[in-house]
Amino acid sequence: MTKYTLAGIGNAVVDVITHADDSFLDLMGIEKGIMQLIEQDRGEVLYASMTERLQTPGGAVANTIAGVGALGLPTAFIGRVHDDALGRFYAQSMQDSGTDFVNAPIPDGELPTSRCMIFVTPDGERSLNTYLGISTELGPEDVPEEVASAAEIMFLEGYLFDKDKGKEAFRQASRLTRSAGGKAGIAISDPFCVDRHRPDFLDMIGNELDFVIGNEHEITSLFETDDLEAALAKTADMIDLLVCTKSGDGVTIIGNGERHDIPVETVTPVDATGAGDQFAAGFIYGMATGADLHVCGRMGNLCAAEVISHIGPRPQIDMKQQFASAGLL
């Protein structure tokens, strides 16, 4: 029996966000506008350098799950946290927001809970410095059959492709959900993830999934080309539903024998953190509630526009009201 509209697997990362200017980034050796993986000692240095920290449960797919949960659908999240202060904060925060956090915090003997130090510059650009910690140890044993089989939609996070057992966890979750009549999809997450694991991404997309969401850089990286149209065509030939976000140039959706190119309104970002995650939340909400693909895309765009209007990766207003105001419900 279906228990969850959406379940997901991803890095359970505590986001720690602060403002900084470009000179501070230079001083601390932080590369602007990208996500860098760091070691534990570097994480401690960066954390100590932050002022006026905003601490929030994060992780790309976790943010998407929370966004869908905030829209009123039942959700679950599969991820690993340590039984430390940050891990207990993360698990409780997900529960408090209405999402089942299905894996108990892991006691002594494991790596610390994952955390990401995010520095937001005045232009709204974010520079992410992520210590992955215990999240890197997620494997198939962390995927409860009773959760994956009870989900209408399973959503996976490309960042977890860096270890073989993460890939196995994805395959297991996807197969359990699909064999029970549900659908499975993936957020590609980052072109660097594709560069490291291109054959596995292509195999997963072509053989294990029903939909894929990625930005233009991630989609072109799949086929090592600068020709976005060629990459879109090749990806669409492999999977039932392709969603490609293009920042200020809107979104392209190819599925059901149709193509939709949906523009976006230009918004000056306060903080771009979570834009792609909340686009996915709006899109998946529309898909789960039976909206047509054009409406799904517009819902995604509205969620992305809302989240970049403030600090933090999750919506701060009732997005269903926004959908209703835009005539989407």
Side-chain angles (χ1 to χ4, degrees):
M1 173 181 282
T2 300
K3 182 178 180 182
Y4 302 107
T5 301
L6 176 66
I9 302 178
N11 286 313
V13 183
V14 177
D15 285 340
V16 187
I17 307 171
T18 193
H19 283 104
D21 57 24
D22 288 345
S23 63
F24 179 85
L25 299 187
D26 291 340
L27 176 67
M28 298 302 294
I30 298 168
E31 190 168 349
K32 183 175 180 178
I34 69 165
M35 191 282 286
Q36 290 181 295
L37 295 178
I38 58 174
E39 297 300 323
Q40 185 175 358
D41 56 351
R42 171 69 168 166
E44 292 171 356
V45 169
L46 292 181
Y47 184 85
S49 75
M50 304 176 89
T51 58
E52 298 181 355
R53 306 179 188 99
L54 171 67
Q55 184 171 289
T56 180
V61 163
N63 288 335
T64 298
I65 298 288
V68 173
L71 285 162
L73 300 182
T75 55
F77 181 68
I78 299 167
R80 284 175 76 91
V81 297
H82 186 74
D83 190 13
D84 53 19
L86 285 180
R88 291 188 292 272
F89 163 79
Y90 191 98
Q92 190 61 52
S93 295
M94 292 295 284
Q95 290 290 152
D96 290 346
S97 68
T99 291
D100 281 356
F101 188 80
V102 301
N103 304 89
I106 307 296
D108 295 341
E110 293 269 357
L111 296 168
T113 295
S114 310
R115 71 287 311 268
C116 180
M117 277 63 67
I118 302 174
F119 297 86
V120 182
T121 41
D123 58 2
E125 190 61 78
R126 73 251 170 86
S127 305
L128 291 76
N129 300 264
T130 304
Y131 169 60
L132 288 175
I134 196 172
S135 285
T136 61
E137 299 302 310
L138 187 140
E141 69 278 4
D142 296 304
V143 181
E145 181 175 354
E146 65 272 17
V147 174
S149 297
E152 291 181 22
I153 301 170
M154 176 63 67
F155 195 44
L156 311 172
E157 182 178 319
Y159 283 128
L160 280 174
F161 255 55
D162 273 323
K163 287 201 173 182
D164 287 342
K165 57 186 175 181
K167 298 169 192 172
E168 286 305 312
F170 280 8
R171 293 186 182 98
Q172 177 171 310
S174 175
R175 290 169 185 173
L176 286 169
T177 298
R178 297 177 90 200
S179 65
K183 295 182 178 181
I186 194 168
I188 295 177
S189 297
D190 194 294
F192 295 111
C193 291
V194 177
D195 290 340
R196 291 192 293 269
H197 306 284
R198 186 170 288 106
D200 288 313
F201 268 104
L202 291 172
D203 177 71
M204 193 87 188
I205 291 169
N207 298 304
E208 304 280 359
L209 300 173
D210 302 288
F211 68 96
V212 60
I213 299 177
N215 65 34
E216 57 192 312
H217 306 296
E218 294 157 2
I219 298 297
T220 54
S221 182
L222 284 172
F223 301 98
E224 299 181 89
T225 179
D226 293 326
D227 186 338
L228 177 59
E229 287 300 318
L232 288 172
K234 288 181 178 180
T235 309
D237 284 342
M238 299 173 65
I239 198 162
D240 292 341
L241 177 60
L242 163 64
V243 184
C244 178
T245 59
K246 298 175 290 184
S247 189
D249 291 329
V251 58
T252 293
I253 303 167
I254 303 174
N256 300 335
E258 306 171 349
R259 173 170 174 155
H260 303 271
D261 292 291
I262 304 167
V264 295
E265 294 184 14
T266 301
V267 177
T268 301
V270 173
D271 172 18
T273 308
D277 308 339
Q278 293 310 319
F279 171 86
F283 184 89
I284 290 172
Y285 174 84
M287 185 170 64
T289 55
D292 67 43
L293 293 178
H294 188 272
V295 170
C296 293
R298 290 184 63 196
M299 287 178 168
N301 286 343
L302 283 174
C303 289
E306 189 282 332
V307 81
I308 67 174
S309 70
H310 56 76
I311 294 292
R314 299 185 178 183
Q316 295 183 350
I317 62 175
D318 184 344
M319 290 308 302
K320 286 186 77 171
Q321 289 187 356
Q322 298 299 303
F323 295 166
S325 297
L328 303 179
L329 294 178

